Amino acid sequence: MLLLLFAIPAHDCFAQTPPPPFDEQAFERVPPTVVKRLARRFSLGTFAGRFEETRLGAVSEAVGEGTIQHQGDAGGSIHWLCYRRGQLRLWVVSSEMGGADHRVTEIVEELSETDAGASADCAVIPEKFSPVVFDGKLHLGMSRQEVVTALGPPSASDAAQMVYSHAGKLAHGFDETAWLILRFREDKLVSMRGGKATTN
């Protein structure tokens, strides 16, 4: 009987398309120079949400598509929704900081050079849930100059990437960390990763 139990595949086996890995070591080397708070809210077309408040379940209910996937445990545990349309791939993520109700802590959107293709766990997102916008102003397709005009100077920058990092104190002694990791191709924003974590 025990052998049979171990032979049953875990739910994680179906998680075929996890979000791109987050390079924590590289991010830790970036000074948190941005004074203004980042990654507070997001929108998918007309659907409006807030980081650390909106549940993954509320996103999938609004879109009408998407299955919550999971991998890892303890501090490395993440849950996510994966969506695609043409060359676009979108992950809505809840880390362990998102709590038991899986509140959104990070969103990753990428525009690949080829069609994203079919994937068992990435639902096709209806066009009315585009564009994805961070903080009411940041979206794919912007030029580097448009990003700087909207957000100010980045915390770190190279030819292909700009990083915005914020760290601040909130009420009741809580610490807030927020980030935007932006990648460009031919001066156009083709990948954006935004997230927020509040700790005490």
Side-chain angles (χ1 to χ4, degrees):
M1 187 66 179
L2 282 173
L3 287 173
L4 282 173
L5 285 172
F6 284 118
I8 296 171
H11 180 67
D12 289 5
C13 295
F14 297 99
Q16 298 175 359
T17 316
F22 185 77
D23 189 345
E24 288 186 42
Q25 289 185 327
F27 181 72
E28 285 169 3
R29 293 194 294 270
V30 176
T33 61
V34 180
V35 176
K36 192 173 181 181
R37 296 175 72 189
L38 298 171
R40 299 180 67 188
R41 54 197 173 92
F42 63 89
S43 58
L44 279 64
T46 57
F47 175 81
R50 297 186 74 86
F51 287 94
E52 297 189 298
E53 293 181 22
T54 302
R55 297 176 296 105
L56 289 183
V59 176
S60 63
E61 286 166 19
V63 174
E65 300 283 351
T67 301
I68 296 175
Q69 303 287 323
H70 173 254
Q71 76 174 18
D73 51 29
S77 174
I78 60 168
H79 292 78
W80 72 87
L81 294 163
C82 178
Y83 294 106
R84 62 186 170 86
R85 191 181 69 253
Q87 294 172 263
L88 201 67
R89 183 63 59 84
L90 170 68
W91 292 267
V92 185
V93 183
S94 177
S95 70
E96 80 280 5
M97 304 297 289
D101 51 351
H102 310 317
R103 296 182 302 278
V104 176
T105 57
E106 191 173 44
I107 291 178
V108 185
E109 187 183 33
E110 294 183 345
L111 191 62
S112 66
E113 295 188 78
T114 57
D115 195 290
S119 177
D121 68 315
C122 289
V124 175
I125 190 167
E127 194 162 348
K128 68 179 181 177
F129 293 99
S130 288
V132 175
V133 180
F134 293 163
D135 293 328
K137 52 192 165 189
L138 186 70
H139 57 84
L140 294 186
M142 295 174 76
S143 68
R144 291 177 74 104
Q145 187 54 55
E146 286 173 330
V147 171
V148 172
T149 300
L151 300 177
S155 303
S157 177
D158 60 33
Q161 179 174 278
M162 297 194 326
V163 179
Y164 287 81
S165 176
H166 164 82
K169 284 278 187 189
L170 301 176
H172 311 297
F174 286 89
D175 294 307
E176 179 182 71
T177 304
W179 58 90
L180 298 171
I181 301 173
L182 313 176
R183 291 196 176 92
F184 295 83
R185 187 166 58 242
E186 297 177 354
D187 195 47
K188 292 296 182 185
L189 182 59
V190 294
S191 170
M192 59 182 194
R193 181 176 205 133
K196 186 158 103 62
T198 302
T199 56
N200 57 6

